[in-house]
Amino acid sequence: MKNLNIFILILALIGGLTACDDQLDVTNPNEQTTVDFGDSESELQEVVIAAYNRIRLEGSFARVGYTLDAVRGDEVWNSSQQWYIDYDRLNSPGTNEIGDMWPYRDWYHVVNRTNYILSKVDDVEMSEDSYNQIAGQALFLRALAYYHLSTYYQTVPLITDYESYSDMNTMFASNSTQDEIFDQIEADLSKAMDMLPSRDEGGEWAQGRATSGAAAGYMARALMFRHKFTEAYPILQDIIAGVYGHYELMNNYGDNFKEDTENNAESLFEVQFMDFGTGGTDEEWTPVNISSEATQGHAVESNYASQELGSWGDLAGSPWLYNLFKEETSTDGRLDPRLYWTLVTYEDEYSNYTDQATDAYPNGDPRSNIVYQEEITKTPLSNSAQGGISIAKWTNARNNIYPNITNGLQCGVNLRLMRYSDVLLRAAECENEINGPTQTAIDYINQVRRRVALPDLELSDFPSADHLFEQIANVERPKEFGCENGRGIDLIRWGFFYDQSRLNQLIEHGYYMLAPKNEAGDIIANTDVVTAETASGSSFQSYNPGHEYFPLFQNILNANPNLEGNSANKSVDNAPAFKEKYNIRPVVELE
Amino acid sequence: MKYIFLILLGMLAFSTATFAERNSDSEQTAMLQADNITVTGKVIDEEGEPLTGATVQQTGTTNGTITDIDGNFSLSVPADATLKISFIGFESTEISVNGTTNMGTITLVSDIRQLDQVVVVGYGTQRKADLTGSVAVVDTEEMKKVSKSNISTMLQGKVAGVRITSDGQPGADPSVRVRGIGTFGNSNPLYVVDGVPMGTTIRDFSPNDIESLQVLKDASAAAIYGSRAANGVIIITTKQGKKEQPLRIDYSGYYGIDQVEDGVYEVMDSKQYGEYVTMAYGNSNMDVPAGYDPNSSKYIDPNVVNTDWQDEAFKTGIRQNHNVNFSGGGANNTYNIALDYYSQEGTIEGAGPNFERYTARANNTMSVKFLEIKTSLVYSHSNQDNMALSNANEYVEGLYGQQFPVMASALITPPTIKAYDQSTWVLDDKLSAASQYRYDSFGYGTYYDDVHGDLRVTNVLLTNGLLERNSVVDRFVASGSAKVDLIDMLGRQSDNHKFNYNLNVSYSKTTAKDFTFVPAFIQSTTNYLSKSNEVLTQGYRSYSAALIENYINYDASFGRHQINTVLGQTFERNTEHTLTGIGNNMPEPYFLQVGNAADTQASTYEREDLLASYIGRVNYNFDGKYLISLTGRRDGSSRLSVDRSEFFKSASAGWRIERENFFPVDESIINMFKVRGSYGELGNDTNLGPYEYATTMQRGDYTYSFANNKVTGSAVSYYVNPTLRWEKKKTIDVGLDLGMFNNKLEFTFDWYKSTSEDLHYDVRVPFSAGVTNEFVKMNAATMENSGLEFLISYRNRQHAVKYEITANASTLQNKVTNLGVSGESRIDGYTRTEVGREVGEFYGYVYEGIYQSQAEIDNYTNSEGQLVNRPDAKPGDVIYADIASEDGTVDENGNPVPDGKITDADRKILGSGLPDVNFGLDARVEWKNFDLSISTFGAAGFKAVDFVDMTLRGSYRTLNKSVDLLNAWTPDNTNTDVPRVAYNADAAITNDMFSERFIQDASYLKIANVTLGYNFPDRWFNGYISNVRVYATGQNLATITKYKGYNVDFAGGTFTPGYNYASYPTPRTVMFGVNLSF
């Protein structure tokens, strides 16, 4: 018996010493872990900023994420014939990181940060206003991310719950359909429209942030991608009516492309970059580093500007776009000011405009032949070896704030992602789609034309909705938004890749000349109309069906066994599926 | 040298004054020979049979007798004498008389290897005969005769299934693999010293302290160590004093010289090199540099400058070891105090490599009534100078230009560069940048662009002479254990029951001080460390490990049933703290403290690891015939979050068939025939960091701006897997133990198959996760290892020539059966790991010869008869086989179809880097007082690629080359297998792409150790000293292999097992040693 007692005593002793599992909890003394983060309003505000930070990466808006859509379109071609070539020609094999991977990777950074906010925000005590601001911005940014993911990569995984990242099954997510993704985008934006303050209500806070107006504008974009014109139109009308704050066109079209007129009354949303020279010193190249001393600039200028004037010389405006501007003039016979702000060409007459009162600029015309603080006497080459017309937008070629381009993530001109003129032209498009060509539609368009002193359109010139559509799609929008991100998405939503006559039209728009020479044998920037006979080629001749979207990089597929390639990976023609759902307007001749 | 003896002498005098006193007492009594008494006794063997003719001798004298037919003896000796009883075939024993006249019965233990040998198996002991798991008991007798610098290398070639590969660098930790790699993380086994788990490295311990060594190989044997034991367990017990033994002082020491084998690589001398350079530049249509143009004023006369860099860089190294051991004991206590000094001066000129270690160990046992207490204190101090650049590829901040490990540099530096050149102290007239330096190249030779061409190589003597990298490690381990005999405590007595409670505590503290200094120098426009970039790093690392264990042993026997149980609990806490200071831009003259630098930075780091476990084991034995063992251990680790505790279990059984009545063979022929089998599971978490399951925040690093006002934010940037579980290794083992002719012949066989599941593997993070890290650890790989192991030994001590031969061999098949989430294969340099195949096989192009003419290039076709397009190839270039299409096209049978192009897709698996068979062969012979032992080991069936060999045989650039390249292809020398050489590879497809050309057959047999010893008869020394032995040892004497390169037994990487990246050459060593006792 005594033995037994001793035995029990020993067991008790052992048992007493073994309550050790609790002691296995350790805390990391070196770095803060997520365990004790995200439980306060101020910490969530920090994550909101991190989410904004991710929209200015190379794959989102600091470079290729922005320019890829332009080069996919018909207004821009790849004058260096490298780096962007697979996306200009629409036939990437899925092994080119810059377009097949970077935007995918970087936009999912935004998704991750916003999912974090949205998973935490309900459990943190804060005022309703704070809640609406934090959650609203996260919803807007998530929708922005998915909008760009799905318009670049078609069928991507839809991850909306932060918990998904800690579960093997949901982290290795499979593809969602484009419809599922757009359903989510619409759901997020409709909430954000209600939650966020307008730019008027937000005041100083709203400078550079997502507002209800931004959410509403993107809602209209998202709806129109799926031809939901009847739903988009009232939202656009509300924006015009000032429901989401007061918006108006700037008198000077050029104010949309300068540092000192950022976040103006025309701007619904823009990516914020620090003005040239005011950012830090670290260039955050890919793969993305995190530096508190980031330069906070973009490198679109390094791709868009003239190589002759110091850029990398990658992208050029198409001869079609240039000649589109030349087809009609302002009421005083002068050139459309938008040509000046869109492309860098030498135009004799610019020198005669300078400081004159012109119809477009009654208080003094800013146009001149001074580029990067130097007077030019001929159109500079986009690419020194291949020629091409360099692009003025998102560069300081016209702003003349410095004499030499500093290549890299340095340019400080905020990228205006959505302008009031887009609201007006989209309203016109919706009106035309719903009611056919009407004076209301014409009036929306004329507002945009009057700013640059182009003569009003007349309803009588547009016998059918097809005619007014043609005017909007191939005249008004390219001239207003030439070389801005969005043309490629427009071509997809209009079904231009899925109709042979439309495709032929794209091929015509895409004609370019490689290394054209003058009599002296020097390479020149050709501004003449290029035809099938004179062209070296057109980007759209090599279009491989399915490749209006970009393929997923092979490593993306390798890393996730549940993920399938998209139409570009499989070279599957999206035309039948598109035609089943949506109408493609036929090509019509305009007067 | 001298100092060491002084220090040892000092320690001896200081620590053991009382022992020394006793020692002088015994010397006096020995001389006086007064007060003799007559002692009687009986000598028997283990079976109880009396031993006739055994020698009974008073130690240190010639006074003695032999036992009669009944084993009895009677002898007149002083009252405090010690008797030595010896008999052929039995181990001698010594007992103290202590005034007793009747010594009782003295049992001599058979000299022949013991069936009843007791083996330490973790939280208990077991008779070797009763083992059911796979346990290798290492014969330490021989080891004790030959000193080794490192415990791990003592095992080299000794144990079937244990492969030890090593870098020859002094102080290097060898890689020890028990039955292959079981994890992608740290695959070294767990070392348990005197019951205390010491982690996976025991460099800080002295091999001289070892008393016994066991290797637990299978899951069942190691199961009691649970999660620590997945890579095997090496159990070490250290020497203890004996009870009732007066002070005994043993000295052992040796002195040896190390030399790097000469002529392993044959590189060019200046004359040959000049020819080569002329050919290489000529083939690239470039003018040969002035130094090789006999018409130039800058011509380097090969008779004047002809540096043999191997001679300059390699020197004779020296190693020595001195060990003094004090042991003894009273009725209730024993002590063993060992002092050890080991030093090794490396074989390369310069600041390193060198290694020096001091160790002191004090083991004590004390017993009173039912209580037994053991204590052990170990202190060690080591000082290691590393090389400027080793093959670990240390990053040296601010060092520009191409850098190679020191050993490789010594082979690839052109002979036309002077080793030393006083004119390089000032290079200002030759290099404009040199004007900013106080000293430019410090008198070391350099190259000049206008003389030697653009070489981009730094004088290896300069880097190894100027760069200092030093680590000083102090380690203190204190451990103690108490054993309470509970039955005795209650005042009961029982022969059939034993019930003990054990408490083990241990604390280890290790402090390391790291010092690195890179001074400014300039050799050329590309090889320099800029003046403002000098880097001084001083850091302290502090580690602690605390362990507490409680367990009970209950042993019982009921009739023919025997049961042994262990039940207990353990808890372990490991901590680490580091503090590092870095100084950049040091003013001259240099005073090497961080504070003197213009720019300083400091960092600290802390971690804590905890492990809590319950252990349990039951061994059951019926009549010594049927043996069963069940083990379980539940481990909880702080490195895991969910499922952090896991139960690991094993079962094993054995059957002694020879004990069955029906066994047909007589016991005198087969005395042991045991079959055994086991299955068990073990865990592992060594591939994980301490807080790897918890996501960390990047605070304040995310910037943005609103209306040009900068703001900062925070987010999770680095994704971690919060649901990591234990790695699990499941092993099944079937074995046979055979003993014949009273164990003169022993044979052991094992077959095993282990499956390592849920391995912690770097899985590619899906890009849709939106995080910065490309890889994350997941339980996402499975690997199988299986093999056969044989050990056979034959021992014959019945004749004048006594000998023992042991041979072992083991096979290993490795197969990765699951890798990552998507089964994506991985490429690491020249190797590839893919599902369904062995880890890290060589992967490259198939060599098809050399193009002999432009016509052959233009008309060369693949197996489909399609032209292989090689537009840039020239006659003399390597032909690679076109075997597959870039786009992966396959025919209807799934075989790749070639596409007429040489692309990445044309690479294929070219061979294994893991040996199919490892083996060892040891022989020992004794004749009279001489003994000779030879040990060899080797491996067969694997391929290796040697970085230095590849570099020396590379077809481009003008670093020094193998003399083979003089036979390079030229239009006049077409009958050769050496492709065309050139200064530049001007095509994308080069001659140096990794192909079969660089793969070598690495099978080898290494004569690792030959020792010849002589044991002096004690009587020569009149009892002043005894057990005097002198020996000469040759280590690493010869390697029989086709492999060209140092260290065919190099330690490769986990995913690159066959790639020898400039492993430091293991030197050939000759040592002379002495052992003696006082």
Side-chain angles (χ1 to χ4, degrees), chain B residues 107-118:
Chain B
T107 307
L108 283 192
V109 178
S110 169
D111 194 8
I112 292 174
R113 197 174 300 175
Q114 284 310 299
L115 271 185
D116 283 345
Q117 189 176 357
V118 167

Side-chain angles (χ1 to χ4, degrees), chain A residues 360-558:
Chain A
Y361 292 102
N363 301 322
D365 200 311
R367 286 176 280 180
S368 74
N369 274 313
I370 293 171
V371 173
Y372 289 112
Q373 300 181 352
E374 207 167 307
E375 179 127 22
I376 53 167
T377 54
K378 64 178 181 66
T379 299
L381 302 176
S382 165
N383 183 277
S384 305
Q386 311 286 1
I389 304 165
S390 69
I391 300 167
K393 278 179 180 171
W394 318 129
T395 77
N396 283 304
R398 298 297 189 193
N399 300 334
N400 285 310
I401 62 167
Y402 41 68
N404 297 304
I405 302 165
T406 307
N407 283 316
L409 297 165
Q410 300 288 343
C411 186
V413 180
N414 286 357
L415 301 177
R416 278 69 156 180
L417 292 185
M418 189 163 197
R419 298 192 277 112
Y420 185 57
S421 56
D422 191 31
V423 174
L424 293 170
L425 289 180
R426 280 175 184 275
E429 191 183 336
C430 286
E431 169 70 22
N432 184 47
E433 293 292 337
I434 298 165
N435 302 318
T438 62
Q439 190 56 46
T440 314
I442 297 288
D443 287 346
Y444 288 135
I445 299 171
N446 285 342
Q447 279 192 56
V448 177
R449 291 171 63 89
R450 278 176 201 158
R451 185 239 310 254
V452 288
L454 289 189
D456 280 358
L457 298 181
E458 300 297 332
L459 179 59
S460 55
D461 290 336
F462 300 96
S464 73
D466 289 340
H467 284 84
L468 188 55
F469 173 78
E470 194 69 30
Q471 177 73 23
I472 295 167
N474 279 328
V475 180
E476 299 302 333
R477 290 192 68 89
K479 287 207 281 192
E480 179 67 19
F481 305 113
C483 307
E484 292 175 47
N485 178 292
R487 181 68 179 172
I489 299 169
D490 282 346
L491 298 183
I492 290 174
R493 72 184 174 93
W494 292 328
F496 283 10
F497 290 99
Y498 309 133
D499 180 274
Q500 195 51 53
S501 56
R502 283 294 179 192
L503 206 49
N504 291 341
Q505 191 180 42
L506 288 178
I507 289 170
E508 280 171 35
H509 293 173
Y511 284 137
Y512 54 80
M513 288 169 81
L514 287 181
K517 296 193 178 66
N518 61 15
E519 292 87 23
D522 301 322
I523 293 170
I524 54 161
N526 169 62
T527 52
D528 295 342
V529 174
V530 184
T531 62
E533 290 70 38
T534 57
S536 310
S538 167
S539 328
F540 295 89
Q541 282 167 334
S542 47
Y543 163 67
N544 187 357
H547 282 252
E548 67 278 14
Y549 294 102
F550 303 147
L552 295 181
F553 192 55
Q554 193 55 46
N555 269 10
I556 295 177
L557 297 172
N558 291 350

Side-chain angles (χ1 to χ4, degrees), chain A residues 56 273-275 277-284 291-298 408-411, chain B residues 703:
Chain A
R56 58 157 193 81
F273 292 99
M274 297 283 277
D275 289 352
T278 63
T281 49
D282 290 348
E283 286 205 328
E284 290 191 315
S291 168
S292 53
E293 284 304 314
T295 52
Q296 294 210 51
H298 66 74
L409 297 165
Q410 300 288 343
C411 186
Chain B
T703 59

Side-chain angles (χ1 to χ4, degrees), chain A residues 2-3 6-7 10-11 13-14 17-35 37 43 45-50 52-56 101 104-105 108-109 112-113 116 137 157 159 162 165-168 171-173 205 207-209 262-263 269-275 278 284 288 290-294 296 553 555-561, chain B residues 486-487 489-490 492 499 501 503 548 550-552 554 567-571 573 604-614 634-640 644-645 690-691 693-717 719-723 763-772 774 776 778-780 821-822 824:
Chain A
K2 203 174 169 192
N3 281 4
I6 295 286
F7 186 69
I10 296 291
L11 283 182
L13 186 66
I14 288 170
L17 283 163
T18 51
C20 292
D21 266 21
D22 302 343
Q23 289 186 44
L24 292 176
D25 292 325
V26 289
T27 47
N28 186 339
N30 304 298
E31 281 173 284
Q32 183 168 20
T33 61
T34 46
V35 175
F37 184 86
E43 284 174 344
Q45 294 282 15
E46 289 183 42
V47 188
V48 170
I49 290 165
Y52 277 107
N53 163 280
R54 302 283 97 175
I55 72 170
R56 58 157 193 81
M101 192 259 268
Y104 186 92
R105 178 196 61 200
Y108 272 111
H109 276 247
N112 176 300
R113 307 305 181 275
Y116 183 88
Q137 289 178 91
I159 302 168
Y162 198 72
Y165 301 109
S166 36
D167 184 319
M168 289 274 283
M171 186 168 98
F172 290 88
W205 177 88
Q207 294 272 299
R209 289 185 188 261
E262 288 168 346
N263 302 314
F269 187 66
E270 57 194 68
V271 196
Q272 307 289 303
F273 292 99
M274 297 283 277
D275 289 352
T278 63
E284 290 191 315
V288 183
I290 298 164
S291 168
S292 53
E293 284 304 314
Q296 294 210 51
F553 192 55
N555 269 10
I556 295 177
L557 297 172
N558 291 350
N560 183 352
Chain B
L486 294 169
I487 293 174
M489 190 171 93
L490 297 171
R492 310 264 174 96
F499 192 18
Y501 163 74
L503 172 70
I548 179 161
N550 289 280
Y551 62 97
I552 49 169
Y554 174 69
L567 187 66
Q569 159 271 334
T570 80
F571 185 72
R573 178 192 302 267
T604 58
Y605 170 79
E606 267 181 66
R607 73 171 170 86
E608 184 182 21
D609 277 318
L610 306 169
L611 185 72
S613 317
Y614 302 90
R634 181 177 178 273
D635 271 321
S637 165
S638 65
R639 292 186 195 187
L640 299 161
R644 62 160 57 141
S645 290
Y691 309 106
Y693 57 82
T695 315
T696 56
M697 297 294 305
Q698 299 289 331
R699 209 68 202 270
D701 287 342
Y702 289 83
T703 59
Y704 199 65
S705 63
F706 295 113
N708 223 53
N709 296 311
K710 180 177 163 179
V711 288
T712 59
S714 310
V716 176
S717 164
Y719 172 73
V720 303
N721 177 5
T723 57
V763 168
R764 207 182 271 281
V765 178
F767 288 71
S768 53
V771 289
T772 318
E774 252 187 280
V776 66
M778 287 197 175
N779 295 90
V821 172
S822 54
E824 190 187 1

